[in-house]
Amino acid sequence: MKSQCLPFQQIPHTTRLFLDYLSYTPSVRSFYPRSPIFSEWVKDESQRVGYDAARRGKVSEILERQNRAWGASAKTLANIDRFKRGALVAVTGQQVGLFGGPLFSIFKALTAVKLAEQATAAGVECVPVFWLATEDHDLAEVNHVALLSEHGLPERLVEESRGIADAPVGTVKFGPEIEPVVERAAALLGDSEVATWLRQTYRPGESLGSAFALLFAKLFAESGVILLDPAEEDFHDLAKPLFRAAIERVSELDEALLARGKALEAAGYHQQVKVTSATTLLFEVKDGARTVVRRRNNGANDNGGEFAVGEERSSSKELVARIEETPEAFSPNAIFRPVVQDYLLPTLVYTGGAAEVAYFAQAAVVYEKLLGRVTPILPRFSATLLDAKAERILTRYQLGLPEVFLGPEKVREVIAARSLPPDLQARFSEAYASVEQSMAALRESIGRLDSTLIDTAESTRSSMSHQIDRLRARVARAEQQRNEVITRHADALSHALFPNKVLQEREVAGVSFVARYGPELLANLYQHVRPDCHDHQVIEVQ
């Protein structure tokens, strides 16, 4: 496998916050305690991780029970034993998308494995953990997936199981309706080991969470990834001190989050989560639905510290009592989740995508208040996989991935322009050169006569070049209409590398690629994961 790097400046929709974090500019350093260069701080950070021995023992028992139920490999069980004996963890996580979710879910797991390996090599015993986001309640975000079809265009499959509206997705069980979806997926994946795994894991009686775990246990058996489902009641019981603090210290936490939001905006960055004076960090399950816990009267303190959960009103004391009695009914929001995670685990580092990097800029103040330490975040591995057909088309028309990112219409136009007869292309090149040469000489003469007219001359040159561009585009469109091969090649590129104008890793299921290239693809990709290199990679796969 060959690869080349593409800086994130050339990746569509990359935020300024993420770019500045990658280069660790002074403007982001107050929001992130560590640079994105893992090797610079891994040993020093390990000394700052505090973790209660009793909690380690309880978490070890839960992890072993969960992972054995999912068919954990000997390597995973050995890593749980290392955890039990004192290892730190490199954590990642993801929503439990249908059939393992998009390709970047696999990239996240591979990154966590690599970070754990590098930490251990540096003398810091560390194991990889994958946090299954089973408590999320947006079913529409996880009940579908796109698989590569025989025509190249990703085919969207949707699983129609339903539960109570806004119920945690981990509680939604599959019925018989999952079976035809699995069979269609198996048909798209072909005669492959992965198709067999889907039939074994996505079946009636399982949930999106349990099926995802069963599949990932198979995918990452050789890597020893430890899976964690936070919906486990025993995890909630362990997290009670943090849930209580979220209510008892709500004013302090909200003030810190509001101040952090203002600081981010003052620095020219965005807030991933909009925080208001009514915000708390918790959800409570009411009648099966995950319901936001809000402060009443926008957090005013003259109402006895009252809260609202849906239509129900509760005092601080009543909420804390419910947390003590039924902690499993409570769960953290997006800002609070990593803090709860790193209370339950001795986390050396978390790895995630650009959105999670943005979450951590806000979550840092909650970490400081409740844990006294902010877990460093590192960007996950990011890549576009380039098959032989796409590589041939790129080479034929001398295209790069940034040109594909311009969208299918532009790709067709570029390919058409580069498919024009050589003599016509030469005439356009001559026209450009002639304009440049003539206007350069004219600009020099005009400058000697009246320097105030130089800008007018430059504007004229630019306008003439623009008119040639317009003519070339019209000629290219005419060629495109005449030559159907151009449209076919352009669409093949867009479908493969920028489907639906989205990065391949975000749109296409990882199992599509594992089925096509075999489970050994994971080991090959792993060799390209370099935690101190933060570019997007373009990887040729055969």
PDB file of all heavy atoms in Angstrom, residues 101-119:
ATOM      1  N   GLY A 101     -20.974   1.220  11.242  1.00  0.00           N
ATOM      2  CA  GLY A 101     -20.883   2.638  10.928  1.00  0.00           C
ATOM      3  C   GLY A 101     -19.889   2.952   9.824  1.00  0.00           C
ATOM      4  O   GLY A 101     -19.357   2.067   9.147  1.00  0.00           O
ATOM      5  N   PRO A 102     -19.615   4.243   9.630  1.00  0.00           N
ATOM      6  CA  PRO A 102     -18.722   4.668   8.541  1.00  0.00           C
ATOM      7  C   PRO A 102     -17.283   4.191   8.756  1.00  0.00           C
ATOM      8  O   PRO A 102     -16.897   3.771   9.859  1.00  0.00           O
ATOM      9  CB  PRO A 102     -18.787   6.204   8.602  1.00  0.00           C
ATOM     10  CG  PRO A 102     -20.003   6.529   9.404  1.00  0.00           C
ATOM     11  CD  PRO A 102     -20.178   5.394  10.358  1.00  0.00           C
ATOM     12  N   LEU A 103     -16.499   4.301   7.696  1.00  0.00           N
ATOM     13  CA  LEU A 103     -15.102   3.865   7.720  1.00  0.00           C
ATOM     14  C   LEU A 103     -14.315   4.491   8.860  1.00  0.00           C
ATOM     15  O   LEU A 103     -13.429   3.848   9.437  1.00  0.00           O
ATOM     16  CB  LEU A 103     -14.460   4.210   6.372  1.00  0.00           C
ATOM     17  CG  LEU A 103     -12.987   3.886   6.160  1.00  0.00           C
ATOM     18  CD1 LEU A 103     -12.711   2.403   6.320  1.00  0.00           C
ATOM     19  CD2 LEU A 103     -12.541   4.372   4.767  1.00  0.00           C
ATOM     20  N   PHE A 104     -14.624   5.743   9.224  1.00  0.00           N
ATOM     21  CA  PHE A 104     -13.810   6.389  10.254  1.00  0.00           C
ATOM     22  C   PHE A 104     -13.967   5.723  11.618  1.00  0.00           C
ATOM     23  O   PHE A 104     -13.116   5.908  12.491  1.00  0.00           O
ATOM     24  CB  PHE A 104     -14.082   7.897  10.339  1.00  0.00           C
ATOM     25  CG  PHE A 104     -15.412   8.293  10.918  1.00  0.00           C
ATOM     26  CD1 PHE A 104     -15.654   8.228  12.285  1.00  0.00           C
ATOM     27  CD2 PHE A 104     -16.416   8.784  10.109  1.00  0.00           C
ATOM     28  CE1 PHE A 104     -16.869   8.612  12.819  1.00  0.00           C
ATOM     29  CE2 PHE A 104     -17.633   9.187  10.627  1.00  0.00           C
ATOM     30  CZ  PHE A 104     -17.866   9.089  11.989  1.00  0.00           C
ATOM     31  N   SER A 105     -15.025   4.925  11.845  1.00  0.00           N
ATOM     32  CA  SER A 105     -15.130   4.169  13.102  1.00  0.00           C
ATOM     33  C   SER A 105     -13.970   3.187  13.229  1.00  0.00           C
ATOM     34  O   SER A 105     -13.390   3.006  14.301  1.00  0.00           O
ATOM     35  CB  SER A 105     -16.464   3.417  13.169  1.00  0.00           C
ATOM     36  OG  SER A 105     -17.549   4.297  13.207  1.00  0.00           O
ATOM     37  N   ILE A 106     -13.636   2.550  12.112  1.00  0.00           N
ATOM     38  CA  ILE A 106     -12.480   1.646  12.085  1.00  0.00           C
ATOM     39  C   ILE A 106     -11.196   2.428  12.286  1.00  0.00           C
ATOM     40  O   ILE A 106     -10.294   2.000  13.024  1.00  0.00           O
ATOM     41  CB  ILE A 106     -12.467   0.870  10.756  1.00  0.00           C
ATOM     42  CG1 ILE A 106     -13.546  -0.228  10.795  1.00  0.00           C
ATOM     43  CG2 ILE A 106     -11.092   0.277  10.467  1.00  0.00           C
ATOM     44  CD1 ILE A 106     -13.691  -1.005   9.502  1.00  0.00           C
ATOM     45  N   PHE A 107     -11.105   3.608  11.656  1.00  0.00           N
ATOM     46  CA  PHE A 107      -9.912   4.442  11.823  1.00  0.00           C
ATOM     47  C   PHE A 107      -9.717   4.829  13.290  1.00  0.00           C
ATOM     48  O   PHE A 107      -8.584   4.881  13.784  1.00  0.00           O
ATOM     49  CB  PHE A 107     -10.009   5.700  10.973  1.00  0.00           C
ATOM     50  CG  PHE A 107      -9.929   5.472   9.489  1.00  0.00           C
ATOM     51  CD1 PHE A 107     -10.279   6.476   8.596  1.00  0.00           C
ATOM     52  CD2 PHE A 107      -9.501   4.260   8.962  1.00  0.00           C
ATOM     53  CE1 PHE A 107     -10.195   6.284   7.225  1.00  0.00           C
ATOM     54  CE2 PHE A 107      -9.416   4.048   7.596  1.00  0.00           C
ATOM     55  CZ  PHE A 107      -9.766   5.072   6.724  1.00  0.00           C
ATOM     56  N   LYS A 108     -10.795   5.115  13.981  1.00  0.00           N
ATOM     57  CA  LYS A 108     -10.699   5.478  15.402  1.00  0.00           C
ATOM     58  C   LYS A 108     -10.102   4.329  16.214  1.00  0.00           C
ATOM     59  O   LYS A 108      -9.200   4.536  17.040  1.00  0.00           O
ATOM     60  CB  LYS A 108     -12.086   5.838  15.951  1.00  0.00           C
ATOM     61  CG  LYS A 108     -12.585   7.209  15.573  1.00  0.00           C
ATOM     62  CD  LYS A 108     -13.915   7.496  16.253  1.00  0.00           C
ATOM     63  CE  LYS A 108     -14.251   8.975  16.177  1.00  0.00           C
ATOM     64  NZ  LYS A 108     -15.482   9.297  16.935  1.00  0.00           N
ATOM     65  N   ALA A 109     -10.627   3.131  15.999  1.00  0.00           N
ATOM     66  CA  ALA A 109     -10.126   1.977  16.755  1.00  0.00           C
ATOM     67  C   ALA A 109      -8.645   1.738  16.460  1.00  0.00           C
ATOM     68  O   ALA A 109      -7.852   1.480  17.381  1.00  0.00           O
ATOM     69  CB  ALA A 109     -10.948   0.734  16.416  1.00  0.00           C
ATOM     70  N   LEU A 110      -8.261   1.827  15.193  1.00  0.00           N
ATOM     71  CA  LEU A 110      -6.855   1.624  14.828  1.00  0.00           C
ATOM     72  C   LEU A 110      -5.960   2.671  15.494  1.00  0.00           C
ATOM     73  O   LEU A 110      -4.840   2.360  15.932  1.00  0.00           O
ATOM     74  CB  LEU A 110      -6.688   1.691  13.307  1.00  0.00           C
ATOM     75  CG  LEU A 110      -7.287   0.540  12.501  1.00  0.00           C
ATOM     76  CD1 LEU A 110      -7.178   0.826  11.009  1.00  0.00           C
ATOM     77  CD2 LEU A 110      -6.615  -0.784  12.833  1.00  0.00           C
ATOM     78  N   THR A 111      -6.441   3.904  15.576  1.00  0.00           N
ATOM     79  CA  THR A 111      -5.641   4.961  16.215  1.00  0.00           C
ATOM     80  C   THR A 111      -5.447   4.681  17.688  1.00  0.00           C
ATOM     81  O   THR A 111      -4.345   4.866  18.230  1.00  0.00           O
ATOM     82  CB  THR A 111      -6.315   6.337  16.022  1.00  0.00           C
ATOM     83  OG1 THR A 111      -6.628   6.539  14.650  1.00  0.00           O
ATOM     84  CG2 THR A 111      -5.395   7.461  16.493  1.00  0.00           C
ATOM     85  N   ALA A 112      -6.510   4.245  18.371  1.00  0.00           N
ATOM     86  CA  ALA A 112      -6.385   3.927  19.798  1.00  0.00           C
ATOM     87  C   ALA A 112      -5.386   2.794  20.019  1.00  0.00           C
ATOM     88  O   ALA A 112      -4.584   2.830  20.968  1.00  0.00           O
ATOM     89  CB  ALA A 112      -7.755   3.554  20.377  1.00  0.00           C
ATOM     90  N   VAL A 113      -5.408   1.798  19.148  1.00  0.00           N
ATOM     91  CA  VAL A 113      -4.461   0.685  19.261  1.00  0.00           C
ATOM     92  C   VAL A 113      -3.030   1.196  19.090  1.00  0.00           C
ATOM     93  O   VAL A 113      -2.118   0.831  19.851  1.00  0.00           O
ATOM     94  CB  VAL A 113      -4.779  -0.406  18.214  1.00  0.00           C
ATOM     95  CG1 VAL A 113      -3.713  -1.504  18.241  1.00  0.00           C
ATOM     96  CG2 VAL A 113      -6.148  -1.018  18.481  1.00  0.00           C
ATOM     97  N   LYS A 114      -2.832   2.063  18.091  1.00  0.00           N
ATOM     98  CA  LYS A 114      -1.487   2.587  17.843  1.00  0.00           C
ATOM     99  C   LYS A 114      -0.997   3.446  19.011  1.00  0.00           C
ATOM    100  O   LYS A 114       0.166   3.342  19.429  1.00  0.00           O
ATOM    101  CB  LYS A 114      -1.472   3.411  16.559  1.00  0.00           C
ATOM    102  CG  LYS A 114      -0.124   4.020  16.204  1.00  0.00           C
ATOM    103  CD  LYS A 114       0.920   2.957  15.836  1.00  0.00           C
ATOM    104  CE  LYS A 114       0.582   2.304  14.537  1.00  0.00           C
ATOM    105  NZ  LYS A 114       1.675   1.996  13.667  1.00  0.00           N
ATOM    106  N   LEU A 115      -1.855   4.270  19.572  1.00  0.00           N
ATOM    107  CA  LEU A 115      -1.457   5.112  20.706  1.00  0.00           C
ATOM    108  C   LEU A 115      -1.077   4.250  21.906  1.00  0.00           C
ATOM    109  O   LEU A 115      -0.097   4.538  22.605  1.00  0.00           O
ATOM    110  CB  LEU A 115      -2.593   6.074  21.072  1.00  0.00           C
ATOM    111  CG  LEU A 115      -2.868   7.201  20.066  1.00  0.00           C
ATOM    112  CD1 LEU A 115      -4.169   7.912  20.409  1.00  0.00           C
ATOM    113  CD2 LEU A 115      -1.715   8.203  20.059  1.00  0.00           C
ATOM    114  N   ALA A 116      -1.866   3.209  22.160  1.00  0.00           N
ATOM    115  CA  ALA A 116      -1.549   2.316  23.277  1.00  0.00           C
ATOM    116  C   ALA A 116      -0.214   1.624  23.058  1.00  0.00           C
ATOM    117  O   ALA A 116       0.601   1.477  23.988  1.00  0.00           O
ATOM    118  CB  ALA A 116      -2.668   1.284  23.451  1.00  0.00           C
ATOM    119  N   GLU A 117       0.031   1.216  21.812  1.00  0.00           N
ATOM    120  CA  GLU A 117       1.296   0.556  21.496  1.00  0.00           C
ATOM    121  C   GLU A 117       2.478   1.506  21.698  1.00  0.00           C
ATOM    122  O   GLU A 117       3.506   1.133  22.282  1.00  0.00           O
ATOM    123  CB  GLU A 117       1.271   0.069  20.050  1.00  0.00           C
ATOM    124  CG  GLU A 117       2.561  -0.601  19.601  1.00  0.00           C
ATOM    125  CD  GLU A 117       2.587  -0.835  18.097  1.00  0.00           C
ATOM    126  OE1 GLU A 117       2.714   0.153  17.354  1.00  0.00           O
ATOM    127  OE2 GLU A 117       2.478  -1.983  17.685  1.00  0.00           O
ATOM    128  N   GLN A 118       2.333   2.758  21.218  1.00  0.00           N
ATOM    129  CA  GLN A 118       3.434   3.706  21.334  1.00  0.00           C
ATOM    130  C   GLN A 118       3.677   4.102  22.789  1.00  0.00           C
ATOM    131  O   GLN A 118       4.827   4.289  23.199  1.00  0.00           O
ATOM    132  CB  GLN A 118       3.151   4.938  20.476  1.00  0.00           C
ATOM    133  CG  GLN A 118       3.222   4.656  18.987  1.00  0.00           C
ATOM    134  CD  GLN A 118       3.372   5.913  18.156  1.00  0.00           C
ATOM    135  OE1 GLN A 118       3.241   7.030  18.652  1.00  0.00           O
ATOM    136  NE2 GLN A 118       3.654   5.745  16.877  1.00  0.00           N
ATOM    137  N   ALA A 119       2.606   4.241  23.569  1.00  0.00           N
ATOM    138  CA  ALA A 119       2.779   4.559  24.989  1.00  0.00           C
ATOM    139  C   ALA A 119       3.513   3.429  25.699  1.00  0.00           C
ATOM    140  O   ALA A 119       4.447   3.668  26.483  1.00  0.00           O
ATOM    141  CB  ALA A 119       1.415   4.799  25.643  1.00  0.00           C
TER     142      ALA A 119
END
